[in-house]
Amino acid sequence: MFRWAIIFAVIALIASLLGFGGVAGLSKDFAIILLVIAVILAIVGFISRGKV
C-alpha cells in the first residue's frame, strides 16, 4: 500500500512538472488516500498483534 502511495506521489510530481494539472491533482489525491489507509491498517495491525 505504501508502494502505491509513493508511485502516485511520483506520478503527481512528474505530471505537475510537465504541466498536467488535472492528472497531478488526481494522483495527489490518490496518494494521500492510499497513505492514510496504509497508516490506519498498520496501526490496526500493530494493536491487534499486541492483544493476541
Side-chain angles (χ1 to χ4, degrees):
M1 195 74 74
F2 286 115
R3 175 189 281 176
W4 283 103
I6 292 171
I7 289 171
F8 276 112
V10 170
I11 291 172
L13 180 64
I14 293 171
S16 67
L17 290 175
L18 295 176
F20 298 108
V23 175
L26 191 61
S27 296
K28 177 192 68 91
D29 292 340
F30 280 139
I32 291 173
I33 291 168
L34 289 174
L35 184 63
V36 168
I37 291 172
V39 168
I40 290 171
L41 288 176
I43 291 171
V44 168
F46 288 136
I47 290 172
S48 66
R49 280 190 189 203
K51 297 192 184 244
V52 173

